[in-house]
Structure formats: structure tokens, C-alpha cells
């Protein structure tokens, strides 16, 4: 349900009308964000996407997916796992896999494959930016997420910096026939030293109950 | 290894098959044509096949028919004349894989997303069956009584054609898109994305173990007509990955012979008697190895 006033405006209006008293040293600015702690925010489910032919069973629990010294732009991806009611799913299992910098999947071993452990409902992994390979247009990371009482989610993450999108993913996300949703194309933050930049991406997962 | 023959098709190749007997190559081209050549490259017959998006072709084991999936439609051709006998709309999406019974009286098709569809050879629909989970490869037993399906969830499923009932489901480490029944229908070869080639008892569903392994995903597999030998190629999908090989096993001794065929994504395998043949296509060039 949408409200017209922000939390802070609501508190200030109530305080001005004598309907709210805030005991010092607390201030309205400090307490406004915590006003709705414990209230769930409904979320849209993450759009699904193809599983693809390169899923491999038995991936290890791992947060570092690339072998030592692997070529490619270092990549950090993290996010939270929710359900559509907004519940934080700390019992979720997240599995990811992707191609190497040169667009090759490790089908004989488990490089670039793993089940990053969760910290609460937050997952994160480090790897390298996957390369392009024939038969797929865009760089991508495959995801499989599951949690008790929820439908499994199979999806893919794409990168707004992919040259295929020509700097305009809103217009060009459909250049890959498998990319059905703009939501799966995530912005990329480049951070670090000039000599060792790193790509940082945030990608929350929202599972449907079922 | 240098190919035995190398020749140019009139347009880029999108699907390849080796006819039983190993003397002819059937190719679907991106100009919508079906081209039948000798293995040495002599053009024998050429006919309009359908749409340019043609990714699936198979020859019936009795050598009489060629079946092609072009766009959403199936087409059946007389192999000896190249004449198109019938066509019908088969799937919602572009056909990704097809399979035939020995005489072509039963056909199976998939676009990779819908459930597998079974057809009579005259185009009449029989039923849908299968998992409906991103199907990568299908095969029909020679008699047509069973359908094998390899899906992205790494499961290989066997279904009874008559009822559509699931008979067996086996889980592999990775998906098995390459499937081939032995000529007597008793064995099923399953080639996986991880490069392994496994044998299964096609009746009991019992896994008989891994016969061998490619360094790249399996590409195509075929039994010899007497069922004594099995050939399987790898499919190197990336020029920066490992190269492909043709591997041939004597099924009695399990002895393996390997022939390198370079970077080869689109390939087909067959036998001329006891001798394996592999054909590989890159753009317009078709290369044939007869080691």
C-alpha cells in the first residue's frame, strides 16, 4: 500500500501536531528509518531465465569461483535473498556458474562454479567477468536458488556494461534472444585502484512461495 | 588430422547428417536448401527445404527418408530423389532436434521448450510426452517404441511411445544432449556436455558405465549397422577451447581409437560398414574424415 508522506515527513507532522513525542537524545531523523522495522515490503519475483546446457551437479560451497591467477576483470557479486512477501530467506541455497574470461565453461572440473555461503540472507561471490562465447550473445552468470517452502528460481544475471547493449540496455537488452527481462541486466560499479579495477554488481533474488 | 575430403556448399551449413551406408552427406543450408552430396563432395541432389532457420536433420536407418526441421515445420524427403514428400507445422518455436524410427513411420521433434511431440510419418500427431524441461536432445528406438530425452536438468528420461509414460529417469553430472539407440534397440549411448559417453541398457534403464571421454562436449554419436562399434565426436564450441576428436569403440573389447578433427562445432557421424565417417561443417565448408 502506498503512502503519500515519507516516514520522516509523517513523524515531523505528527510531532508538530503534538501527536508524537520523541524523547531526547533521539531525533526524528534517526528513528524515521526504523519506524517500520519488522514490517515486510512486498517484492516482485525475480524473472526466470533459461537453465542452459552447462549446469553441473555437485558444485562446491565456495565464495571464490575463479582459480588463482585467472585472467579477466575481477568481479564481485552480492545480493540478498527474499521472498515475494519480503521475508528474508536465510535458509536459501544459491548456486552460480559461468564461463571464463575467454568464454569457456569448465565442464571437467568446478572452476567458475559454486554455492556461495549465505550470511543471514546475503550471498556473495568473487570471480572474473565472464567472456562472450559462440551461441550466446551476452555475458552472463547462471543462478539457481531454492529455499524450503518456495519455488526454485532459475535465472541469469547480465551486465549493463556488456558491449552488446551499446550503452543502452533499456533499448538493446533484447539483442540476446534469451534475455526476456530488463530487470536481469544489472548496473556495474567499477572500484579499486587504476591498476587493479574490480567490477561490483548487486543482484537480489526474490523467490515465490509455493 | 587433415580431412579426407573438404568441399564447399553453396551457402553456410546449419545442420548435417550422414546417410546410412556412409556414402552421402545431407546438409541443411542457410538459404533454405537441402543439399545431398557424396562424401567426396559431388553434389547429387539439391532441393528447397524451407526456412533458413533449419537446425535439425536426420536420415532414417533404412536409408529411404531424410527428415528436416526447418523453423517450426517438419519436412520429409525421399532420399534417393530429393523430392519433398510432406511438410507440416510441428512446434511453437524453431525445431531444435528430431528423431526417427528405423523406417520413418514414427518421428519425434522438440523446439527445446515444449514437451516432445510424436508424429506418424505421414504427419499425423500421436501425442506429446517428455519432461518439458529445456530438452537438448532426443532419440527414437529403431522400432519407435521408446523415446529418449536429454534435458538441461542433467536427467536422461526414457518414455514409452505408446502411452507417453515415463519408464526410467537417470541423473548425470551434466546434461546428455547426444543420444543414439543401437540397431537392435537394446542399448542407448548418451553423450554428455562434460564429454563423457555412457552406455545404458535401453530396456531396463540400467547404466553400464562410461565408455570414454572427450575433452569437449559430446557432439554426435552413431552405432555401426551391426551394432558392434560406436562412434562419437566431440563438439568444440569455442575456438579458444580444446579441439574435437572422433572416438570409435569396439563394443566387445572396449578398445578406443581417436582421430583429431580440430575445432568442430557442427558435426555428424556415421559408418560405411565397419568404418567410421565424421563430417564437420564450418560456414560453407564441409570436411569429411574417413580414418
Amino acid at each position: 500500500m502506498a503512502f503519500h508522506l515519507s516516514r520522516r515527513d509523517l513523524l515531523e507532522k505528527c510531532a508538530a501536531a503534538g501527536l508524537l513525542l520523541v524523547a531526547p537524545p533521539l531525533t526524528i531523523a534517526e528513528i524515521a528509518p526504523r519506524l517500520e522495522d519488522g514490517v515486510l515490503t512486498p517484492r516482485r519475483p525475480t524473472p526466470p531465465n533459461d537453465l542452459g546446457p552447462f549446469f553441473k551437479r555437485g558444485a562446491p560451497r565456495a565464495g571464490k569461483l575463479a582459480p588463482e591467477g585467472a585472467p579477466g576483470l575481477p568481479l564481485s557479486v552480492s545480493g540478498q535473498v527474499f521472498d515475494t512477501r519480503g521475508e528474508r530467506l536465510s535458509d536459501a541455497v544459491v548456486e552460480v556458474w559461468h564461463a571464463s574470461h575467454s568464454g569457456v565453461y569448465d565442464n571437467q572440473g568446478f572452476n567458475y562454479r559454486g554455492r556461495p555461503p549465505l550470511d543471514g540472507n546475503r550471498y556473495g561471490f568473487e570471480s572474473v567477468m565472464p567472456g562472450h562465447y559462440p551461441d550466446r550473445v551476452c555475458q552472463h552468470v547462471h543462478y539457481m536458488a531454492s529455499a524450503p517452502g518456495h519455488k526454485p528460481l532459475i535465472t541469469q544475471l547480465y551486465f549493463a556494461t556488456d558491449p552488446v547493449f551499446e550503452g543502452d540496455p533499456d533499448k538493446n537488452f533484447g539483442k540476446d534472444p534469451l534475455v526476456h527481462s530488463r530487470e536481469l541486466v544489472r548496473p556495474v560499479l567499477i572500484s579499486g585502484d587504476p591498476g587493479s579495477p574490480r567490477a561490483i554488481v548487486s543482484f537480489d533474488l526474490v523467490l515465490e512461495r509455493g | 588430422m587433415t580431412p579426407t575430403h573438404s568441399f564447399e556448399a553453396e551457402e553456410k551449413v546449419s545442420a548435417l547428417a550422414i546417410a546410412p551406408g556412409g556414402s552421402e552427406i545431407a546438409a541443411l543450408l542457410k538459404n533454405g536448401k537441402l543439399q545431398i552430396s557424396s562424401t567426396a563432395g559431388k553434389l547429387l541432389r539439391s532441393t528447397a527445404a524451407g526456412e533458413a532457420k533449419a537446425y535439425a536433420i536426420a536420415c532414417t536407418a533404412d536409408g529411404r527418408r531424410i527428415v528436416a526441421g526447418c523453423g517450426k515445420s517438419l519436412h520429409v524427403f525421399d532420399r534417393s530423389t530429393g523430392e519433398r514428400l510432406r511438410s507440416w507445422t510441428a512446434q511453437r518455436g524453431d525445431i531444435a532436434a528430431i528423431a526417427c524410427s528405423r523406417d520413418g513411420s514414427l518421428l519425434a521433434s522438440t523446439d527445446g521448450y515444449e514437451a516432445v511431440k510424436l508424429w506418424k510419418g505421414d504427419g499425423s500427431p500421436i501425442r506429446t510426452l517428455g519432461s518439458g524441461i529445456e530438452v537438448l536432445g532426443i532419440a527414437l528406438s529403431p522400432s519407435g517404441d521408446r523415446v529418449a530425452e536429454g534435458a538441461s536438468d542433467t536427467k536422461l528420461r526414457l518414455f514409452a511411445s505408446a502411452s507417453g509414460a515415463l519408464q526410467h529417469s537417470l541423473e548425470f553430472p551434466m546434461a546428455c544432449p547426444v543420444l543414439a539407440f543401437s540397431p537392435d534397440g537394446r542399448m542407448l549411448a548418451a553423450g554428455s556436455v562434460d564429454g563423457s559417453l555412457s552406455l545404458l541398457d535401453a530396456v531396463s534403464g540400467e547404466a553400464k558405465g562410461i565408455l570414454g571421454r572427450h575433452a569437449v562436449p559430446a557432439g554426435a554419436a552413431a552405432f555401426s549397422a551391426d551394432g558392434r562399434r560406436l562412434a562419437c565426436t566431440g563438439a568444440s564450441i569455442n575456438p579458444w577451447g580444446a579441439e574435437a576428436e572422433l572416438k570409435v569403440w569396439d563394443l566387445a573389447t572396449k578398445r578406443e581409437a581417436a582421430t583429431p578433427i580440430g575445432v568442430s562445432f557442427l558435426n555428424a557421424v556415421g559408418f560405411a560398414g565397419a568404418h567410421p565417417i565424421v563430417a564437420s561443417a564450418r560456414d560453407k565448408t564441409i570436411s569429411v574424415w574417413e580414418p
Side-chain angles (χ1 to χ4, degrees), chain A residues 6-88:
Chain A
S6 69
R7 291 177 205 170
R8 181 166 176 171
D9 288 347
L10 173 66
L11 291 174
E12 290 180 349
K13 189 170 180 181
C14 289
L19 301 172
L20 169 73
L21 293 173
V22 179
L26 292 175
T27 65
I28 286 177
E30 286 170 333
I31 66 171
R34 303 187 68 110
L35 185 67
E36 293 179 21
D37 266 2
V39 174
L40 300 177
T41 304
R43 295 170 186 266
R44 279 204 311 269
T46 301
N49 210 192
D50 286 29
L51 176 58
F54 295 110
F55 170 62
K56 182 172 182 175
R57 293 188 182 273
R61 266 173 67 89
K64 286 187 189 295
L65 307 188
E68 201 62 41
L73 177 65
L75 171 68
S76 297
V77 181
S78 66
Q80 298 187 69
V81 188
F82 299 97
D83 71 9
T84 47
R85 291 194 318 161
E87 290 268 15
R88 291 174 164 81

Side-chain angles (χ1 to χ4, degrees), chain B residues 75-250:
Chain B
H75 307 270
V76 180
F77 299 86
D78 183 304
R79 182 193 146 202
S80 60
T81 64
E83 178 195 356
R84 178 157 44 165
L85 301 174
R86 62 191 68 86
S87 303
W88 65 96
T89 303
Q91 308 281 162
R92 275 206 300 262
D94 293 333
I95 293 172
I98 55 179
C100 321
S101 60
R102 169 182 293 279
D103 60 2
S105 59
L106 231 64
L107 305 174
S109 63
T110 178
D111 64 6
Y113 296 100
E114 290 184 284
V116 172
K117 295 194 178 181
L118 264 187
W119 310 88
K120 289 188 183 174
D122 65 6
S124 317
I126 297 176
R127 65 162 16 84
T128 60
L129 52 75
S131 66
I133 299 172
E134 287 182 48
V135 176
L136 298 172
I138 52 175
L140 258 174
S141 60
S143 67
D145 65 339
R146 272 159 294 141
V147 177
E149 173 207 87
S152 281
D153 64 357
T154 83
K155 290 188 179 171
L156 192 165
R157 296 174 174 88
L158 278 158
F159 299 88
S161 302
S163 63
L166 175 66
Q167 293 182 318
H168 305 290
S169 177
L170 295 92
E171 191 174 277
F172 285 78
M174 293 193 79
C176 293
V178 175
L179 301 168
F181 280 91
S182 60
D184 64 5
R186 296 165 67 92
M187 299 296 291
L188 178 66
S192 174
V193 174
D194 68 9
S196 61
L197 182 71
S198 301
L199 277 180
L200 294 85
D201 183 310
V203 177
S204 70
E206 181 190 352
K208 295 295 193 184
I210 294 175
L211 197 54
R213 198 177 282 276
H214 290 278
V216 294
F223 285 84
S224 58
D226 62 7
R228 292 183 179 176
R229 307 185 84 196
L230 175 59
C232 179
T233 65
S236 49
I237 65 167
N238 191 308
W240 302 279
E243 295 191 338
E245 292 180 299
L246 164 69
K247 295 200 175 199
V248 186
W249 292 270
D250 179 306

